[in-house]
Amino acid sequence: MASAHSPVRRLLTLTLTQPRLVLACVAAFTVLMFAGLVDWGKLDWRLGVDASVTPLLPSADRVQEVYDYSRQAFGSEDRVIVALASNNALAPESRALLGRLHQRLRQLPGVQQVDSLHNAALARDLGDGTEVWPVAEWLDRFQVDPEALLAELRLDPGFRRSLIADDGRVAGLILTLRDNVQGKPLESALADAIVTTADELVAAAAVPGARVWVGGPPIVSARTVAAIIGDLKLMLPAILGIFAVLLAFAFRSVRALVLPLVTISLGLIWTLGAMAWLGHELNLMTVIVPPLIMTLGLAYSIHIFAPYYVLAEQASRSPQELVGATLIEVARPLLLTALTTIVGFVALAASPLPAVRHFAWFSALGVALTMLAALTLVPAVLVQAGLPRHLRRTDVLMPLFEFLSRLIVRRRITILVLSALVGLMSVLAATQIRVGSNFIADFPADSRLRQDHDAIGLALGGANPFNIIIRADINDAFAQADTLRSVAQLQTWLDAQPEIGTTLSVVDALRQIDLAFGGRRDEFVFPEATSTIKQMFALGGGAQLSQLVDTRLRVTNIIVRATPQDSFALGELVERIEQRLTTLPRPLQAHVTGTPVVIARTLQRIGEGQVLTLGIAMFAIFLILAVVLTSVRSALLALLPNLLPISIYYGALGLTGVPLSPTTGLIACIVLGVAVDDTIHYLVRFNSEARRLRSETQATATALREVLRPVTLTTIALVLGFLVLTHSELRNQAQFGALAAFTL
């Protein structure tokens, strides 16, 4: 089992000699871990779900520093967008409905401010002076011609494709959340309240063609949380049900059915309890941990029960002797396979993404805890339960296993050549891999969220906001005419890019102030005197100006709303913008930032991270195998064949066009750590048979016949467990399940 005085040997001995004590300890530890999952004061689950993109952002680098500065200095652009569509957004009945929406949404808890045509001020020249009123007031009080007003709004960057569409059919309401909500996942209750309020008001209004769309990053986050929770409620029982059917078919024994299911349930409770006690939440990556732990945990139980029934048939033993003999046969390969699986997970901790690192550590912890449950609970219960009454019947698949073992021995050269060819073709196909992600496309095409998001993006200039931060090295730099002209030229270039819907800059704010003091809408000339520009900012500045320039006038922010949702397409746009930023006159320095930009840049590093994490996993697993098998040759034999499915996986990504994303990027290390387990079980048996038979050829066939059954069962269990994920509402989870099952 292990060295005579090792902690593992002592634990297994204690399990055989003091099963009741071990079961009591297992029960106590389970109660402790479960206690961490429950908020006893509120009688609710303590383990929450964070579906924001924050855990996907790199911990500390230059990109993150600019991003953090932008949010701190100018606020977050992650706002909720409600779009009211009708035949004419400026018609009296549409304006009345917009006003009711504005008031009701503003009253919702968590909403700090609502900007719309109902309150957004517009400066107009009345001939004898300029007055500033909200758009609704111009129409209601001054009886302004709606078509003429719409023409003015199209020229005003503060309104165009933001608060009203170019065709005048869609009016937008921009919801700014309170400080205690900003930067955090929007609670489902608030998201539901926003959607329900908008739907009810539109349904009750007799406005021709009226309908409402709700979107924005906070809504996406809230809906992702709901989808994750719904998936877990469906998938975890489904996995248990599928495993129950598989175990019943494989062993036809109550104890072989119940004990594995209890074992993986304990492993799940212990892992999630540890997460809760450590103050962590489930995120877009760690949500995969529960089904993953359950799937891997079943494999450990199968590897115990397969030899348990074989040994029970061979000789008459006491329950303790039978379980002890089983542990002698399986403990070493089980511990080794758990170690290699843990190494595969830990290698992912080299990722720059906090979410992936959390996934790595908690997956590794879950494997260790599930293995602990399998090597304590199962043996202790089997000792207490006595000998099995019904032994395993002859395996109907054994003739097939014997045929396969003979075929493999005879056709080994053909198999090696074909494997090499498949591996080479897969490597060539892998050169076509694209790196990227699309969080909106993770939802079904017919979902309300995705349809609303696409409609808002089309009508209001893109629902993907990001920022361009421009720094100068002196105060009042952005009160100088030459600097402002450079910003205006950059903004003109940005507006000409087909992927950009709208932009808003300090130049637009200055034009608005000029209009308020009688300037002409069709002509604006920058004042040459810095003092004049500073005076205009002082007299006309407000909340909008604070989002566009800092108080020292040395850093400015251009707000960009773009249409690309795919991070690959967005990355191409950002690269083009950065090339343009290099042409800004010195000493101006500019950076593109914002949540989607940081994510796109982070995803571009996934390819490099794959090489690093996979290399770490391969090297660490090789060292473990070389030490345990006491042979470099055996370690290579155990590792090399498992690189074939990894290469096929990457080739499949290249051929199918499925992008390499944070989720799909996990699969290679997971599969390497898991797939090598079967090879280890084979090599341990092969070494034993080779010493007994003194013939490697005979040992090959004998070892194959013995391990094909448990290896087949565990692989089927793993594949079925991952296939359950394909029913997820989120496409990235479904892709992960399908690709992991395919690769295994």
Side-chain angles (χ1 to χ4, degrees), residues 333 336-344 617-618 621-622 625 629 634-643 645-646 669-683 744:
L336 184 55
T337 57
L339 182 58
T340 55
T341 302
I342 289 172
V343 167
M618 289 172 54
I621 291 174
F622 170 75
L625 294 174
L629 299 176
S634 296
L636 286 173
L637 286 173
L639 183 61
L640 288 178
N642 294 283
L643 299 182
I646 303 300
C669 282
I670 292 176
V671 170
L672 180 62
V674 173
V676 77
D677 295 356
D678 296 337
T679 313
I680 290 172
H681 282 285
Y682 166 75
L683 279 176
L744 285 168

Side-chain angles (χ1 to χ4, degrees), residues 22 27 85 134 147 166 168 219-220 257 393 414 504 507 598 600 614 623 639 657 710 726:
V22 170
E147 289 298 324
D166 286 342
I219 296 294
V220 176
L257 168 64
R393 299 191 185 103
T414 303
L504 188 66
V507 174
V598 175
L614 194 57
L623 288 181
L639 183 61
T726 61

Side-chain angles (χ1 to χ4, degrees), residues 111 161 356 461 523 592 602 610 634:
V111 176
R161 304 195 73 188
V356 175
E523 183 180 359
V592 187
T602 302
Q610 288 287 288
S634 296

Side-chain angles (χ1 to χ4, degrees), residues 47-58:
L47 188 64
V49 178
D50 180 2
S52 70
V53 298
T54 303
L56 293 177
L57 304 180

Side-chain angles (χ1 to χ4, degrees), residues 19 22 69 121 226 228 242 247 256 301 344 356 376 378 404 437 482 506 517 562 571 584 591 635 649 659 733:
V22 170
Y69 173 82
I228 288 173
I242 291 173
L247 291 168
S301 295
V356 175
T376 53
V378 174
L404 288 176
S437 185
D482 288 342
V506 64
F517 287 96
L584 288 174
H591 302 277
Y649 162 68
Q733 308 288 337

